[in-house]
Every structure is written in C-alpha cells, then in structure tokens.
Amino acid sequence: MERNSRIFVAGHRGLVGSAIVRRLVEDGFTDLVLRGRDELDLTDQAAVRAFFDREKIDHVLLAAAKVGGILANDRFGGDFIRDNLLIQTNVIDAAWRAGVRKLLFLGSSCLYPKFAEQPLKEEALLTGPPEPTNKPYAIAKIAGITLCQAYRRQYGFNAICAMPSNLYGPGDHFDPEGSHAIPGMIRRFHDAKMERAPSVTLWGTGTPRREFLYVDDMADACLHLMETYDGEDIINVGPGEDVAIGELARLIRGVVGYEGALTQDLSKPDGHPRKLMDVSRLSATGWRPKVGLEEGLRRTYGWFLENAAPPVPRTAGSEAAE
C-alpha cells in the first residue's frame, strides 16, 4: 500500500479497527476513509454500493462485525448471523465491483471446531462443528471467508483472510458482566481495589489456557499481511503461546495493584481446557508480536484508568475464561 492509497477501514471505532487506524496514521498514510454507523449502514446493500462507487477506494480492511459474549450470542443469534452476513457480503461484493485492489477480512479463532487438535492449524477449519455458544456468529464469519475465497477463484479478487486469537487493549469493553476475560478481570480487580474488597473470585479451577494478542500487534499484523500476503488460505494471527487463566488473573491483580485475596468458585465451569493457534504460517512471513502479555496488560490498564474507569466503584465479582 502506498502512503497516498485511499484506504477504507470498516469498523474504525471498534477495538481492532481503531488500532488499525492508529497504526495507519503512525505510518504516514494520508487518505483514510472512515464512516461511522450513523454515516454508512453496512447492512444496506444499496448504500454500500453507492459508497464504493463514489469514494474510489484502493484498499479495504474489514474489521466491522456484530460481536458479543455468550449471553448475547444465545439471546440474539438471529441478529448475529443476519447482520454479519449482510455486512461482509455487502462490503466484499461492493469492493470487488468497484475495483478495490486488495481486501483483508478478519475471522476469529472461535470459528475453529470446538474439539479440533491443539494447537489449531488453519486446515482445521470446517473439520467439525463450531462451539455451540457462538454458532450463529461462527457460521456467518465462515461464510465471509468462503466468499473471499470464492471471489478470488472466480473473479481474481485479491481478498485475504486473517484469524486473530483473543484480542485485548485500548478501546476494549470493560463491562464487569459481559466483557471478555482480560477487560472483565481488569474492571473487577480495579473495583475491588477501590472498594477495598477482601477478595475477588475466579470462576472454575483457573487451569484452562488461552492465547491473547495485544490489539496494536494485531493492527501491525494486518498491515504486514496487506504488504506481504496474497494467498487464498486463511492465516492465523497470534503470539503462538498461551497462559493459564489463573496465572492471567494473578498478572492482572499485580498490574492493578489489588492486594486482596484471589479465590476460586469451583462450582462454575472451566470451559474448554485449551485454545491455542499454530502461527507457523504467519511466522514464515517474518512477523512477530512486539508487546508481551504483562506490558500489554499495563498499557490496557493505563488506558482504562484514563478512559473507562467508573467514577463510582461497583462490587467485585467473578470472571470466567473465554
């Protein structure tokens, strides 16, 4: 991508999209096209086609998606599959029709079959059913990957697909009930610290292992792939190493500076014992993450304190593994 390329970042206000914008600006890209949901409804086919016809986009980074936790997926599965199918189909098709030179589509490690062999290789996709708790989302995103691959084969459209591991960092959601593991723990340890609560409870045994990637590293990987990768095959993006949820909780407790006890509620489920991706395909292109887990946690907590910490502390609760 040239520094004066016209680049559309779809979903620029989200966790990944905002990190991509930060990185593009830092690298000197001068012609970013950004549209909020109130300016461009990506579920509206006519509006999306008109946008691409008008704006003459060179490159697209498709980070827009309807996302949520287990509860949201269970309650609003119809919304998840409908909206994601519409967003990705409209953007990918309109980008091809308008002559976009390259498009990056983002999947997720949660698209892999629940019981696929660890670490998860790219070839494991579609070798078994997805995790039931996020099935509507997973099926929609798998359809997006398939659409990119089919357009490449039929039309020669240069669309590539990346599969991020669990992401965290500035711009995350720190809802104590509905957020993912890292922002949820940060919020609960912070609240416990402010309230001087004697303990914070971790769900389950703390032994499940998960892989986490700092979102600015994800943005770096996205630009790296746009510059170096043109294959049809999906490509995993992650650090290639995981951490036990119990150890993660202790790291976050230290970063937050909470001095109370960490207890466990063994009546709560652990979830899948391990979720780690094989990143050898990405490593072969020369990319490595730059931000280690503890440093990433410190940066994320710093952002939380400046942007998302509540003025009135809430009661500390428990946290489950993603």
Side-chain angles (χ1 to χ4, degrees), residues 186-226:
I186 285 176
R187 173 65 183 273
R188 286 168 176 170
F189 278 117
H190 174 81
D191 286 355
K193 177 183 175 181
M194 294 298 99
E195 295 176 345
R196 299 184 180 179
S199 66
V200 170
T201 301
L202 179 73
W203 280 18
T205 65
T207 59
R209 303 185 68 84
R210 296 291 184 268
E211 180 181 20
F212 297 96
L213 180 66
Y214 189 63
V215 72
D216 283 28
D217 275 339
M218 181 63 206
D220 181 67
C222 288
L223 269 62
H224 173 80
L225 291 171
M226 289 292 283

Side-chain angles (χ1 to χ4, degrees), residues 109-223:
S109 62
C110 73
L111 308 186
Y112 285 110
K114 181 175 182 178
F115 298 109
E117 182 179 351
Q118 303 282 329
L120 296 162
K121 294 181 179 294
E122 288 90 348
E123 294 80 6
L125 190 67
L126 292 175
T127 59
E131 164 62 51
T133 57
N134 71 329
K135 184 178 178 181
Y137 172 81
I139 288 178
K141 297 293 278 187
I142 290 170
I145 291 170
T146 307
L147 183 63
C148 287
Q149 294 170 335
Y151 270 43
R152 173 181 286 273
R153 292 178 186 178
Q154 183 173 351
Y155 303 121
F157 183 45
N158 191 8
I160 61 174
C161 303
M163 302 285 272
S165 63
N166 296 314
L167 301 174
Y168 71 100
D172 216 333
H173 297 287
F174 294 85
D175 183 333
E177 299 301 328
S179 56
H180 291 153
I182 286 179
M185 287 189 197
I186 285 176
R187 173 65 183 273
R188 286 168 176 170
F189 278 117
H190 174 81
D191 286 355
K193 177 183 175 181
M194 294 298 99
E195 295 176 345
R196 299 184 180 179
S199 66
V200 170
T201 301
L202 179 73
W203 280 18
T205 65
T207 59
R209 303 185 68 84
R210 296 291 184 268
E211 180 181 20
F212 297 96
L213 180 66
Y214 189 63
V215 72
D216 283 28
D217 275 339
M218 181 63 206
D220 181 67
C222 288
L223 269 62

Side-chain angles (χ1 to χ4, degrees), residues 27-275:
D27 282 5
F29 289 90
T30 58
D31 196 0
L32 304 186
V33 181
L34 309 175
R35 296 290 186 275
R37 197 176 307 172
D38 54 336
E39 301 169 289
L40 176 62
D41 180 1
L42 296 179
T43 68
D44 183 333
Q45 183 186 67
V48 174
R49 285 192 180 181
F51 165 79
F52 274 93
D53 288 343
R54 181 176 64 251
E55 297 296 337
K56 311 302 180 186
I57 304 296
D58 295 311
H59 304 283
V60 174
L61 294 109
L62 180 44
K66 184 176 182 64
V67 298
I70 292 174
L71 184 60
N73 273 273
D74 180 57
R75 289 184 176 178
F76 309 111
D79 294 350
F80 274 79
I81 191 168
R82 179 198 63 219
D83 289 356
N84 283 303
L85 284 172
L86 288 170
I87 289 168
Q88 63 206 25
T89 302
N90 290 342
V91 172
I92 293 166
D93 181 69
W96 163 68
R97 291 177 183 275
V100 165
R101 291 159 55 187
K102 191 170 187 178
L103 178 145
L104 171 65
F105 177 73
L106 295 182
S108 168
S109 62
C110 73
L111 308 186
Y112 285 110
K114 181 175 182 178
F115 298 109
E117 182 179 351
Q118 303 282 329
L120 296 162
K121 294 181 179 294
E122 288 90 348
E123 294 80 6
L125 190 67
L126 292 175
T127 59
E131 164 62 51
T133 57
N134 71 329
K135 184 178 178 181
Y137 172 81
I139 288 178
K141 297 293 278 187
I142 290 170
I145 291 170
T146 307
L147 183 63
C148 287
Q149 294 170 335
Y151 270 43
R152 173 181 286 273
R153 292 178 186 178
Q154 183 173 351
Y155 303 121
F157 183 45
N158 191 8
I160 61 174
C161 303
M163 302 285 272
S165 63
N166 296 314
L167 301 174
Y168 71 100
D172 216 333
H173 297 287
F174 294 85
D175 183 333
E177 299 301 328
S179 56
H180 291 153
I182 286 179
M185 287 189 197
I186 285 176
R187 173 65 183 273
R188 286 168 176 170
F189 278 117
H190 174 81
D191 286 355
K193 177 183 175 181
M194 294 298 99
E195 295 176 345
R196 299 184 180 179
S199 66
V200 170
T201 301
L202 179 73
W203 280 18
T205 65
T207 59
R209 303 185 68 84
R210 296 291 184 268
E211 180 181 20
F212 297 96
L213 180 66
Y214 189 63
V215 72
D216 283 28
D217 275 339
M218 181 63 206
D220 181 67
C222 288
L223 269 62
H224 173 80
L225 291 171
M226 289 292 283
E227 297 284 357
T228 65
Y229 186 69
D230 289 311
E232 174 183 315
D233 295 331
I234 61 176
I235 188 162
N236 289 337
V237 182
E241 57 186 37
D242 54 12
V243 61
I245 292 297
E247 176 59 24
L248 175 67
R250 287 185 283 274
L251 283 172
I252 294 174
R253 178 174 62 175
V255 166
V256 172
Y258 173 66
E259 297 181 353
L262 178 60
T263 61
Q264 294 170 274
D265 183 352
L266 300 180
S267 69
K268 295 295 191 295
D270 271 339
H272 201 271
R274 193 182 195 195
K275 195 166 71 172

